[in-house]
Amino acid sequence: AELCAKKGMPLGVLTDSGDVYLLLEDHDDPGPYETVKGLAGERATVSGKKFVKGGVQSVLVAETKGE
């Protein structure tokens, strides 16, 4: 997962309830998304504005922290 993230592949997060969200980088504040890349494959807390478009759930990443 970490190698895919470093190569620019799309990132997602699986919630404890089984929902999957596509993670989106905030181009005005890319730091939290960059942090997510380093946490690929691990448990983490990701927060931000949620969107649903065409059945795809996504989060514009605003804050990230590892567990």
Side-chain angles (χ1 to χ4, degrees), residues 1-2 5-6 8-9 11 25 32-41:
E2 206 171 319
K6 288 180 182 177
M9 299 299 293
L11 298 176
E25 179 180 353
Y33 187 83
E34 288 298 317
T35 300
V36 167
K37 288 182 182 181
L39 297 170

Side-chain angles (χ1 to χ4, degrees), residues 21-29 32-33 46-51 57-63:
Y21 288 86
L22 176 66
L23 299 179
L24 306 173
E25 179 180 353
D26 182 345
H27 297 293
D28 293 328
D29 183 15
Y33 187 83
V46 177
S47 61
K49 186 172 181 180
K50 293 180 185 179
F51 298 92
Q57 300 183 109
S58 59
V59 174
L60 184 63
V61 180
E63 187 177 349

Side-chain angles (χ1 to χ4, degrees), residues 13-17 39-46 64-67:
V13 65
L14 174 65
T15 68
D16 289 336
S17 62
L39 297 170
E42 299 178 24
R43 286 189 63 85
T45 301
V46 177
T64 305
K65 56 185 169 182
E67 293 185 13

